[in-house]
Amino acid sequence: MCPHDPSCPSAEAKDREAARTVAAHPEQGWSLLCNGVVLFEDTGELLPNGVVIAPHRPTDLASSAA
């Protein structure tokens, strides 16, 4: 349960990356968010339920639209 006020978005929410960082390890390329999401520096994510979200950079969207 998130102790922040207002509460951080849940791991299932579309804006889950907006949750606060509770542990940062930039030397290893990842951070743990308040909602249990592990956020990687390449924009990939690991959700608490084990689901992997592939990296999703804005440049990926631009190249697929061409």
Side-chain angles (χ1 to χ4, degrees):
M1 187 85 157
C2 176
H4 302 113
D5 187 27
S7 293
C8 292
S10 73
E12 294 79 30
K14 290 186 184 263
D15 62 344
R16 64 183 156 259
E17 295 173 17
R20 293 188 189 187
T21 301
V22 294
H25 294 277
E27 72 283 357
Q28 296 177 356
W30 63 273
S31 297
L32 175 63
L33 304 181
C34 180
N35 55 10
V37 172
V38 177
L39 181 62
F40 296 96
E41 69 179 14
D42 69 354
T43 70
E45 301 171 25
L46 177 61
L47 304 185
N49 63 2
V51 172
V52 174
I53 306 294
H56 47 282
R57 298 179 181 157
T59 55
D60 293 343
L61 299 174
S63 66
S64 64

